[in-house]
Coordinates of all heavy atoms in Angstrom, one line a residue:
M1 N -152.0 6.5 -0.3 CA -151.1 6.3 -1.4 C -150.5 4.9 -1.3 O -150.2 4.4 -0.2 CB -150.0 7.4 -1.4 CG -149.0 7.2 -2.5 SD -147.7 8.5 -2.3 CE -147.6 9.0 -4.0
T2 N -150.3 4.2 -2.4 CA -149.8 2.9 -2.4 C -148.7 2.8 -3.4 O -148.6 3.5 -4.4 CB -150.8 1.8 -2.7 OG1 -151.4 2.1 -4.0 CG2 -152.0 1.8 -1.7
H3 N -147.7 1.8 -3.2 CA -146.7 1.6 -4.2 C -146.3 0.1 -4.1 O -146.5 -0.5 -3.1 CB -145.5 2.5 -4.0 CG -144.7 2.2 -2.8 ND1 -145.1 2.5 -1.5 CD2 -143.5 1.5 -2.6 CE1 -144.2 2.1 -0.6 NE2 -143.2 1.5 -1.3
A4 N -145.7 -0.4 -5.2 CA -145.4 -1.8 -5.3 C -144.1 -2.0 -4.5 O -143.2 -1.2 -4.6 CB -145.1 -2.2 -6.7
T5 N -144.0 -3.0 -3.7 CA -142.8 -3.4 -3.0 C -142.5 -4.9 -3.3 O -143.4 -5.6 -3.7 CB -143.0 -3.2 -1.5 OG1 -144.1 -4.0 -1.0 CG2 -143.3 -1.8 -1.1
F6 N -141.3 -5.2 -3.1 CA -140.9 -6.6 -3.3 C -140.2 -7.1 -2.1 O -139.6 -6.4 -1.3 CB -139.8 -6.6 -4.5 CG -140.4 -6.3 -5.8 CD1 -140.5 -5.0 -6.3 CD2 -141.0 -7.3 -6.6 CE1 -141.0 -4.7 -7.5 CE2 -141.5 -7.0 -7.9 CZ -141.5 -5.7 -8.3
R7 N -140.4 -8.4 -1.9 CA -139.7 -9.1 -0.8 C -139.0 -10.3 -1.4 O -139.6 -11.0 -2.2 CB -140.8 -9.6 0.2 CG -141.3 -8.4 1.1 CD -142.3 -9.0 2.2 NE -143.0 -7.9 2.8 CZ -142.6 -7.1 3.8 NH1 -141.4 -7.3 4.3 NH2 -143.3 -6.1 4.2
V8 N -137.9 -10.6 -0.8 CA -137.2 -11.9 -1.2 C -137.3 -12.8 0.0 O -137.4 -12.4 1.1 CB -135.7 -11.6 -1.6 CG1 -135.6 -10.9 -2.9 CG2 -135.0 -10.8 -0.5
H9 N -137.2 -14.1 -0.4 CA -137.2 -15.1 0.6 C -136.3 -16.3 0.2 O -136.4 -16.7 -0.9 CB -138.6 -15.6 0.9 CG -138.6 -16.8 1.8 ND1 -138.3 -16.7 3.2 CD2 -139.0 -18.1 1.6 CE1 -138.4 -17.9 3.7 NE2 -138.8 -18.8 2.8
V10 N -135.5 -16.8 1.1 CA -134.7 -17.9 0.8 C -135.3 -19.1 1.5 O -135.6 -19.1 2.7 CB -133.2 -17.8 1.3 CG1 -132.4 -19.0 1.1 CG2 -132.6 -16.6 0.7
D11 N -135.5 -20.2 0.7 CA -136.1 -21.4 1.2 C -134.9 -22.2 1.9 O -134.0 -22.7 1.1 CB -136.7 -22.2 0.1 CG -137.4 -23.5 0.6 OD1 -137.0 -24.0 1.7 OD2 -138.3 -24.0 -0.1
P12 N -134.9 -22.3 3.2 CA -133.7 -23.0 3.8 C -133.7 -24.5 3.5 O -132.6 -25.1 3.6 CB -134.0 -22.8 5.3 CG -135.5 -22.5 5.4 CD -135.9 -21.9 4.1
D13 N -134.7 -25.1 3.0 CA -134.6 -26.5 2.6 C -134.0 -26.7 1.2 O -133.5 -27.8 0.9 CB -136.1 -27.1 2.6 CG -136.7 -27.1 3.9 OD1 -136.0 -27.3 4.9 OD2 -138.0 -27.1 4.0
K14 N -134.0 -25.6 0.4 CA -133.4 -25.7 -0.9 C -132.0 -25.1 -0.9 O -131.1 -25.5 -1.8 CB -134.3 -24.9 -1.9 CG -135.6 -25.6 -2.2 CD -136.4 -24.8 -3.2 CE -137.7 -25.4 -3.5 NZ -138.5 -24.6 -4.5
C15 N -131.6 -24.1 -0.1 CA -130.4 -23.5 -0.1 C -129.2 -24.5 0.2 O -129.3 -25.2 1.1 CB -130.3 -22.3 0.9 SG -128.6 -21.6 1.0
Q16 N -128.2 -24.5 -0.7 CA -127.1 -25.4 -0.6 C -125.8 -24.6 -0.3 O -124.7 -25.2 -0.4 CB -126.9 -26.3 -1.8 CG -128.1 -27.2 -2.0 CD -128.2 -28.2 -0.9 OE1 -127.3 -28.8 -0.4 NE2 -129.4 -28.4 -0.4
G17 N -125.9 -23.3 -0.1 CA -124.8 -22.5 0.2 C -123.9 -22.1 -0.9 O -122.6 -21.9 -0.8
H18 N -124.4 -21.9 -2.1 CA -123.6 -21.5 -3.3 C -123.1 -20.0 -3.1 O -122.2 -19.6 -3.8 CB -124.4 -21.7 -4.5 CG -124.7 -23.1 -4.9 ND1 -123.7 -23.9 -5.4 CD2 -125.8 -23.9 -4.8 CE1 -124.2 -25.2 -5.6 NE2 -125.5 -25.1 -5.2
N19 N -123.8 -19.3 -2.3 CA -123.5 -17.9 -2.0 C -123.5 -16.9 -3.2 O -123.0 -15.8 -3.1 CB -122.1 -17.8 -1.4 CG -122.0 -18.5 0.0 OD1 -120.9 -18.6 0.5 ND2 -123.1 -19.0 0.5
R20 N -124.1 -17.3 -4.2 CA -124.2 -16.3 -5.4 C -125.1 -15.2 -5.0 O -124.9 -14.0 -5.4 CB -124.7 -17.0 -6.6 CG -123.8 -18.0 -7.2 CD -124.4 -18.6 -8.5 NE -123.6 -19.7 -9.0 CZ -123.9 -20.4 -10.1 NH1 -124.9 -20.1 -10.8 NH2 -123.1 -21.3 -10.5
C21 N -126.1 -15.4 -4.3 CA -127.1 -14.4 -3.8 C -126.3 -13.3 -3.0 O -126.5 -12.1 -3.2 CB -128.2 -14.9 -3.0 SG -127.6 -15.9 -1.6
Y22 N -125.5 -13.8 -2.1 CA -124.7 -12.9 -1.3 C -123.7 -12.0 -2.1 O -123.4 -10.9 -1.9 CB -124.0 -13.6 -0.1 CG -123.3 -12.7 0.8 CD1 -124.0 -12.0 1.8 CD2 -121.9 -12.6 0.8 CE1 -123.3 -11.2 2.7 CE2 -121.2 -11.8 1.7 CZ -122.0 -11.1 2.6 OH -121.3 -10.3 3.5
S23 N -123.1 -12.7 -3.1 CA -122.2 -12.0 -4.0 C -122.9 -10.9 -4.8 O -122.3 -9.8 -5.0 CB -121.5 -13.0 -5.0 OG -120.8 -14.0 -4.3
V24 N -124.1 -11.2 -5.3 CA -124.8 -10.3 -6.0 C -125.3 -9.1 -5.2 O -125.2 -8.0 -5.6 CB -126.0 -11.0 -6.7 CG1 -127.0 -10.0 -7.3 CG2 -125.5 -11.9 -7.8
S25 N -125.8 -9.4 -4.0 CA -126.4 -8.4 -3.2 C -126.3 -8.6 -1.7 O -127.2 -9.2 -1.1 CB -127.9 -8.2 -3.5 OG -128.4 -7.1 -2.9
P26 N -125.1 -8.3 -1.1 CA -125.0 -8.5 0.3 C -125.9 -7.6 1.2 O -125.9 -7.8 2.4 CB -123.5 -8.1 0.5 CG -123.1 -7.3 -0.6 CD -124.0 -7.7 -1.8
D27 N -126.5 -6.7 0.5 CA -127.5 -5.9 1.3 C -128.8 -6.5 1.5 O -129.7 -6.1 2.3 CB -127.7 -4.5 0.6 CG -126.5 -3.6 0.6 OD1 -125.7 -3.7 1.5 OD2 -126.3 -2.9 -0.4
L28 N -129.1 -7.6 0.8 CA -130.4 -8.3 0.9 C -130.3 -9.7 1.5 O -131.3 -10.2 2.1 CB -131.0 -8.5 -0.5 CG -131.3 -7.2 -1.3 CD1 -131.8 -7.6 -2.7 CD2 -132.4 -6.5 -0.5
F29 N -129.0 -10.3 1.5 CA -128.9 -11.6 2.0 C -127.7 -11.7 3.1 O -126.8 -10.9 3.0 CB -128.6 -12.6 0.9 CG -129.6 -12.6 -0.2 CD1 -129.5 -11.8 -1.3 CD2 -130.8 -13.3 0.0 CE1 -130.4 -11.8 -2.3 CE2 -131.8 -13.3 -1.0 CZ -131.6 -12.5 -2.1
E30 N -127.9 -12.6 4.0 CA -126.8 -12.8 5.0 C -126.5 -14.3 5.1 O -127.4 -15.1 4.8 CB -127.2 -12.2 6.3 CG -128.5 -12.8 6.9 CD -129.0 -12.0 8.2 OE1 -128.2 -11.1 8.5 OE2 -130.0 -12.4 8.7
L31 N -125.3 -14.6 5.5 CA -124.9 -16.0 5.6 C -124.7 -16.4 7.0 O -124.2 -15.7 7.8 CB -123.6 -16.2 4.8 CG -123.6 -15.8 3.3 CD1 -122.2 -16.0 2.7 CD2 -124.7 -16.5 2.5
D32 N -125.1 -17.7 7.3 CA -124.8 -18.2 8.6 C -123.4 -18.8 8.7 O -122.7 -18.7 7.7 CB -125.9 -19.2 9.1 CG -125.9 -20.4 8.2 OD1 -124.9 -20.7 7.5 OD2 -126.9 -21.2 8.3
D33 N -123.1 -19.4 9.8 CA -121.7 -20.0 9.9 C -121.4 -21.1 8.9 O -120.2 -21.3 8.6 CB -121.6 -20.5 11.4 CG -121.6 -19.4 12.4 OD1 -121.4 -18.2 12.0 OD2 -121.8 -19.7 13.6
L34 N -122.4 -21.7 8.4 CA -122.2 -22.8 7.4 C -122.3 -22.3 6.0 O -122.2 -23.1 5.0 CB -123.2 -23.9 7.6 CG -123.2 -24.5 9.0 CD1 -124.3 -25.5 9.2 CD2 -121.8 -25.2 9.2
G35 N -122.5 -20.9 5.8 CA -122.6 -20.4 4.5 C -123.9 -20.5 3.8 O -124.1 -20.2 2.6
M36 N -125.0 -20.8 4.7 CA -126.3 -20.9 4.1 C -126.9 -19.5 4.2 O -126.7 -18.7 5.2 CB -127.1 -21.8 5.0 CG -126.6 -23.2 4.9 SD -126.5 -23.9 3.3 CE -125.7 -25.5 3.6
S37 N -127.7 -19.1 3.2 CA -128.2 -17.8 3.1 C -129.6 -17.7 3.6 O -130.4 -18.6 3.7 CB -128.2 -17.4 1.6 OG -128.8 -16.2 1.4
S38 N -129.9 -16.4 4.0 CA -131.3 -16.1 4.4 C -131.5 -14.6 4.1 O -130.5 -13.9 4.0 CB -131.6 -16.3 5.9 OG -130.7 -15.6 6.7
E39 N -132.7 -14.2 3.9 CA -133.0 -12.8 3.6 C -132.7 -12.0 4.9 O -132.9 -12.5 6.0 CB -134.4 -12.6 3.1 CG -135.5 -12.9 4.1 CD -135.8 -14.4 4.2 OE1 -135.2 -15.2 3.5 OE2 -136.8 -14.7 4.9
I40 N -132.2 -10.8 4.7 CA -132.0 -9.9 5.8 C -133.4 -9.3 6.3 O -134.2 -8.8 5.5 CB -131.0 -8.8 5.5 CG1 -129.7 -9.3 5.2 CG2 -131.0 -7.7 6.6 CD1 -128.6 -8.3 4.8
G41 N -133.6 -9.4 7.6 CA -134.8 -8.8 8.1 C -136.1 -9.5 7.6 O -136.2 -10.7 7.5
T42 N -137.0 -8.6 7.1 CA -138.2 -9.2 6.5 C -138.1 -9.5 5.1 O -139.0 -9.9 4.4 CB -139.3 -8.1 6.7 OG1 -139.0 -6.9 6.0 CG2 -139.6 -7.8 8.1
G43 N -136.9 -9.2 4.5 CA -136.7 -9.5 3.0 C -137.2 -8.3 2.2 O -137.2 -8.5 0.9
L44 N -137.6 -7.3 2.8 CA -138.1 -6.1 2.0 C -136.9 -5.6 1.1 O -135.8 -5.3 1.6 CB -138.6 -5.0 3.0 CG -139.3 -3.8 2.3 CD1 -140.6 -4.3 1.6 CD2 -139.6 -2.8 3.4
V45 N -137.2 -5.4 -0.1 CA -136.2 -4.9 -1.1 C -136.4 -3.4 -1.3 O -137.4 -2.9 -1.8 CB -136.4 -5.7 -2.4 CG1 -135.3 -5.2 -3.4 CG2 -136.3 -7.2 -2.2
P46 N -135.4 -2.6 -1.0 CA -135.4 -1.2 -1.3 C -135.6 -1.0 -2.8 O -135.0 -1.8 -3.5 CB -134.1 -0.7 -0.7 CG -133.6 -1.7 0.2 CD -134.1 -3.0 -0.3
P47 N -136.3 0.1 -3.2 CA -136.5 0.3 -4.6 C -135.3 0.2 -5.5 O -135.3 -0.3 -6.6 CB -137.1 1.7 -4.6 CG -137.8 1.8 -3.3 CD -136.9 1.1 -2.3
G48 N -134.1 0.7 -5.0 CA -132.9 0.7 -5.7 C -132.3 -0.7 -5.9 O -131.3 -0.8 -6.7
L49 N -132.7 -1.7 -5.1 CA -132.1 -3.0 -5.2 C -133.0 -4.1 -5.9 O -132.6 -5.2 -5.9 CB -131.8 -3.4 -3.8 CG -130.7 -2.6 -3.0 CD1 -130.4 -3.2 -1.7 CD2 -129.4 -2.5 -3.9
V50 N -134.1 -3.6 -6.5 CA -135.0 -4.6 -7.1 C -134.3 -5.4 -8.2 O -134.5 -6.6 -8.3 CB -136.3 -3.9 -7.6 CG1 -137.1 -4.9 -8.4 CG2 -137.1 -3.3 -6.4
S51 N -133.5 -4.7 -9.0 CA -132.9 -5.5 -10.2 C -131.9 -6.5 -9.6 O -131.7 -7.5 -10.1 CB -132.2 -4.5 -11.1 OG -131.3 -3.7 -10.5
L52 N -131.2 -6.1 -8.5 CA -130.2 -7.0 -7.9 C -131.0 -8.2 -7.3 O -130.4 -9.3 -7.3 CB -129.3 -6.3 -6.9 CG -128.3 -5.4 -7.5 CD1 -127.5 -4.7 -6.4 CD2 -127.3 -6.1 -8.4
A53 N -132.0 -7.9 -6.7 CA -132.8 -9.0 -6.1 C -133.3 -10.0 -7.2 O -133.1 -11.3 -7.0 CB -134.1 -8.4 -5.4
K54 N -133.7 -9.5 -8.3 CA -134.1 -10.4 -9.4 C -132.9 -11.2 -10.0 O -133.0 -12.3 -10.3 CB -134.8 -9.6 -10.5 CG -136.2 -9.1 -10.0 CD -136.8 -8.3 -11.1 CE -138.2 -7.8 -10.6 NZ -138.9 -6.9 -11.6
L55 N -131.8 -10.5 -10.0 CA -130.6 -11.2 -10.4 C -130.2 -12.3 -9.5 O -129.7 -13.4 -9.9 CB -129.4 -10.1 -10.5 CG -128.2 -10.5 -11.3 CD1 -128.5 -10.8 -12.7 CD2 -127.1 -9.4 -11.2
A56 N -130.3 -12.1 -8.2 CA -130.0 -13.1 -7.3 C -131.0 -14.3 -7.5 O -130.5 -15.5 -7.4 CB -130.2 -12.6 -5.8
V57 N -132.2 -14.0 -7.7 CA -133.2 -15.1 -8.0 C -132.7 -16.0 -9.1 O -132.7 -17.2 -9.1 CB -134.6 -14.6 -8.2 CG1 -135.5 -15.6 -8.6 CG2 -135.1 -13.9 -6.9
E58 N -132.3 -15.3 -10.2 CA -132.0 -15.9 -11.5 C -130.7 -16.7 -11.3 O -130.4 -17.7 -12.1 CB -131.8 -14.9 -12.6 CG -133.1 -14.3 -13.0 CD -132.9 -13.1 -13.9 OE1 -131.8 -12.8 -14.2 OE2 -134.0 -12.4 -14.2
N59 N -129.8 -16.3 -10.4 CA -128.5 -16.9 -10.3 C -128.4 -18.0 -9.2 O -127.3 -18.6 -9.1 CB -127.4 -15.9 -10.1 CG -127.0 -15.2 -11.3 OD1 -126.2 -15.7 -12.1 ND2 -127.6 -14.0 -11.6
C60 N -129.4 -18.2 -8.5 CA -129.4 -19.3 -7.5 C -129.5 -20.7 -8.2 O -130.6 -20.9 -8.8 CB -130.4 -19.1 -6.4 SG -130.4 -20.5 -5.3
P61 N -128.5 -21.5 -8.2 CA -128.6 -22.8 -8.9 C -129.6 -23.8 -8.3 O -130.1 -24.7 -9.0 CB -127.2 -23.4 -8.9 CG -126.5 -22.6 -7.8 CD -127.2 -21.3 -7.7
E62 N -130.0 -23.5 -7.1 CA -130.9 -24.4 -6.4 C -132.4 -23.8 -6.5 O -133.3 -24.4 -5.9 CB -130.5 -24.5 -4.9 CG -129.2 -25.0 -4.7 CD -128.9 -26.4 -5.3 OE1 -129.8 -27.2 -5.4 OE2 -127.7 -26.7 -5.6
H63 N -132.5 -22.7 -7.1 CA -133.9 -22.1 -7.2 C -134.5 -21.9 -5.8 O -135.7 -22.1 -5.5 CB -134.8 -22.9 -8.1 CG -134.3 -23.1 -9.5 ND1 -134.2 -22.1 -10.4 CD2 -133.8 -24.2 -10.1 CE1 -133.7 -22.6 -11.5 NE2 -133.4 -23.9 -11.3
A64 N -133.6 -21.5 -4.9 CA -134.0 -21.4 -3.5 C -134.6 -20.0 -3.1 O -135.2 -19.9 -2.1 CB -132.8 -21.7 -2.5
I65 N -134.4 -19.1 -4.0 CA -134.9 -17.7 -3.7 C -136.2 -17.4 -4.4 O -136.3 -17.6 -5.6 CB -133.8 -16.7 -4.1 CG1 -132.5 -17.1 -3.5 CG2 -134.2 -15.3 -3.6 CD1 -131.3 -16.3 -4.0
S66 N -137.1 -16.8 -3.7 CA -138.3 -16.3 -4.4 C -138.5 -14.8 -4.1 O -138.0 -14.3 -3.2 CB -139.5 -17.1 -3.8 OG -139.6 -16.9 -2.4
I67 N -139.1 -14.2 -5.1 CA -139.4 -12.8 -4.9 C -140.8 -12.6 -5.2 O -141.4 -13.1 -6.1 CB -138.5 -11.9 -5.9 CG1 -138.7 -10.5 -5.6 CG2 -138.8 -12.3 -7.3 CD1 -137.7 -9.6 -6.4
T68 N -141.5 -11.9 -4.3 CA -142.9 -11.6 -4.4 C -143.2 -10.1 -4.4 O -142.4 -9.3 -3.8 CB -143.7 -12.3 -3.2 OG1 -143.1 -11.8 -2.0 CG2 -143.6 -13.8 -3.3
E69 N -144.2 -9.8 -5.1 CA -144.5 -8.3 -5.2 C -145.8 -8.2 -4.3 O -146.7 -9.0 -4.3 CB -144.8 -7.9 -6.6 CG -145.2 -6.5 -6.8 CD -145.4 -6.1 -8.2 OE1 -145.2 -6.9 -9.1 OE2 -145.9 -4.9 -8.4
A70 N -145.8 -7.1 -3.6 CA -146.9 -6.8 -2.7 C -147.1 -5.3 -2.7 O -146.2 -4.5 -2.9 CB -146.7 -7.3 -1.3
T71 N -148.4 -5.0 -2.7 CA -148.7 -3.6 -2.7 C -149.1 -3.2 -1.3 O -150.0 -3.9 -0.7 CB -149.9 -3.2 -3.6 OG1 -149.5 -3.6 -4.9 CG2 -150.2 -1.8 -3.6
E72 N -148.4 -2.3 -0.7 CA -148.7 -1.9 0.7 C -149.1 -0.5 0.8 O -148.6 0.4 0.1 CB -147.4 -2.2 1.5 CG -147.0 -3.6 1.6 CD -145.8 -3.9 2.5 OE1 -145.3 -2.9 3.0 OE2 -145.4 -5.0 2.6
A73 N -149.9 -0.2 1.7 CA -150.3 1.2 2.0 C -149.1 1.9 2.6 O -148.5 1.4 3.5 CB -151.5 1.2 2.9
T74 N -148.8 3.0 2.2 CA -147.7 3.8 2.7 C -148.1 4.8 3.8 O -147.4 5.4 4.5 CB -146.8 4.5 1.7 OG1 -147.7 5.3 0.9 CG2 -146.2 3.5 0.8
E75 N -149.4 5.0 3.7 CA -150.0 6.0 4.7 C -151.2 5.3 5.3 O -151.8 4.4 4.7 CB -150.4 7.2 4.0 CG -149.2 8.0 3.4 CD -149.7 9.2 2.5 OE1 -150.9 9.5 2.7 OE2 -148.9 9.7 1.7
A76 N -151.6 5.8 6.5 CA -152.8 5.3 7.1 C -154.0 5.8 6.2 O -153.9 6.9 5.6 CB -152.9 5.9 8.4
T77 N -154.9 4.9 6.0 CA -155.9 5.2 5.0 C -156.8 6.3 5.6 O -157.2 7.2 4.8 CB -156.7 3.9 4.7 OG1 -157.3 3.4 5.9 CG2 -155.9 2.9 4.0
G78 N -157.2 6.2 6.8 CA -158.0 7.2 7.4 C -159.3 7.5 6.7 O -159.8 8.6 6.6
V79 N -159.8 6.4 6.1 CA -161.1 6.6 5.4 C -162.2 6.7 6.4 O -162.4 5.9 7.3 CB -161.3 5.4 4.5 CG1 -162.7 5.5 3.8 CG2 -160.2 5.4 3.4
T80 N -163.0 7.6 6.2 CA -164.2 7.8 7.0 C -165.4 7.5 6.1 O -165.7 8.2 5.1 CB -164.4 9.2 7.6 OG1 -163.2 9.5 8.3 CG2 -165.6 9.3 8.5
E81 N -166.1 6.4 6.4 CA -167.2 6.0 5.6 C -168.5 6.7 6.2 O -168.8 6.5 7.4 CB -167.4 4.5 5.6 CG -168.4 4.1 4.6 CD -168.4 2.6 4.4 OE1 -167.3 2.0 4.7 OE2 -169.4 2.0 4.1
V82 N -169.2 7.3 5.4 CA -170.4 8.0 5.8 C -171.6 7.3 5.1 O -171.7 7.3 3.9 CB -170.4 9.5 5.4 CG1 -171.7 10.2 5.9 CG2 -169.2 10.2 6.1
T83 N -172.4 6.8 6.0 CA -173.6 6.2 5.4 C -174.8 6.7 6.2 O -174.7 7.3 7.3 CB -173.7 4.6 5.6 OG1 -173.5 4.4 7.0 CG2 -172.5 4.0 4.8
G84 N -175.9 6.7 5.6 CA -177.1 7.2 6.3 C -178.1 7.6 5.3 O -178.0 7.4 4.1
V85 N -179.2 8.0 5.8 CA -180.3 8.4 5.0 C -180.4 10.0 5.0 O -180.2 10.6 6.0 CB -181.7 7.9 5.6 CG1 -182.9 8.4 4.8 CG2 -181.6 6.4 5.7
T86 N -180.5 10.4 3.8 CA -180.6 11.9 3.7 C -182.1 12.3 3.9 O -183.0 11.8 3.3 CB -180.2 12.3 2.3 OG1 -178.9 11.8 2.0 CG2 -180.3 13.8 2.1
E87 N -182.2 13.1 4.8 CA -183.6 13.5 5.1 C -183.9 14.9 4.5 O -183.0 15.7 4.5 CB -183.8 13.6 6.7 CG -183.8 12.3 7.3 CD -184.0 12.4 8.8 OE1 -184.6 13.3 9.2 OE2 -183.6 11.5 9.5
T88 N -185.0 15.0 4.0 CA -185.4 16.2 3.4 C -186.5 16.9 4.1 O -187.5 16.3 4.4 CB -185.9 16.0 1.9 OG1 -184.9 15.4 1.2 CG2 -186.1 17.4 1.2
A89 N -186.2 18.1 4.6 CA -187.2 18.7 5.3 C -187.9 19.7 4.4 O -187.3 20.5 3.7 CB -186.6 19.5 6.5
E90 N -189.2 19.6 4.4 CA -190.0 20.5 3.6 C -190.3 21.7 4.5 O -190.8 21.5 5.6 CB -191.3 19.9 3.2 CG -191.1 19.1 1.9 CD -192.4 18.6 1.3 OE1 -193.3 19.4 1.3 OE2 -192.5 17.5 0.9
V91 N -190.0 22.8 4.0 CA -190.4 24.0 4.7 C -191.5 24.7 3.9 O -191.3 25.1 2.8 CB -189.2 25.0 4.8 CG1 -189.5 26.2 5.6 CG2 -188.0 24.2 5.5
R92 N -192.6 24.8 4.6 CA -193.7 25.5 3.9 C -193.9 26.9 4.5 O -193.8 27.0 5.7 CB -195.0 24.7 4.1 CG -194.9 23.4 3.5 CD -196.2 22.6 3.6 NE -195.9 21.2 3.0 CZ -196.8 20.6 2.1 NH1 -197.9 21.2 1.8 NH2 -196.5 19.4 1.7
P93 N -194.2 27.8 3.7 CA -194.3 29.1 4.2 C -195.6 29.2 5.0 O -196.5 28.5 4.8 CB -194.4 30.0 3.0 CG -194.7 29.1 1.9 CD -194.2 27.7 2.2
Ligands
LIG101 FE1 -128.2 -20.5 -1.2 FE2 -128.8 -20.1 -3.6 FE3 -127.7 -18.2 -2.2 S1 -128.1 -22.0 -2.8 S2 -126.5 -19.3 -0.7 S3 -129.7 -19.1 -1.9 S4 -127.2 -18.6 -4.3

């Protein structure tokens, strides 16, 4: 089974510390001692916070935040591929 997931990322070269991202969604962004933002952890956005993540992207005046969609497997695939030649045995009475 697969589902769409989103990740946010703050470009540290573009961030100027406007903190709008943190105001919009403190669950997705954290600030350092100088007020510069970065995504929390891997930037993975929980399904319920996707709209806030997009709002943060739209509200950053430096366009420092990007959001990417990725499809990830939620379960081990466990696919067993079977290849081979089917042999037919003739049985004659
Ligand atoms: Fe930086 Fe933009 Fe947030 S400038 S602190 S990423 S609103």
Side-chain angles (χ1 to χ4, degrees):
M1 181 181 223
T2 59
H3 71 283
T5 57
F6 291 89
R7 286 181 194 280
V8 288
H9 172 67
V10 179
D11 184 340
D13 293 332
K14 292 181 179 177
C15 176
Q16 296 296 314
H18 292 284
N19 294 175
R20 292 186 188 177
C21 55
Y22 184 76
S23 297
V24 168
S25 187
D27 292 328
L28 296 175
F29 303 97
E30 58 189 358
L31 305 177
D32 66 13
D33 293 342
L34 299 175
M36 301 301 174
S37 176
S38 60
E39 66 277 6
I40 293 177
T42 61
L44 188 65
V45 180
L49 296 181
V50 172
S51 60
L52 286 179
K54 291 179 178 176
L55 193 61
V57 171
E58 293 169 2
N59 278 279
C60 176
E62 305 297 335
H63 304 290
I65 308 170
S66 58
I67 185 168
T68 54
E69 181 177 355
T71 302
E72 297 182 359
T74 55
E75 298 173 14
T77 56
V79 173
T80 303
E81 189 172 334
V82 180
T83 58
V85 177
T86 302
E87 294 182 23
T88 304
E90 275 189 44
V91 180
R92 297 182 185 225

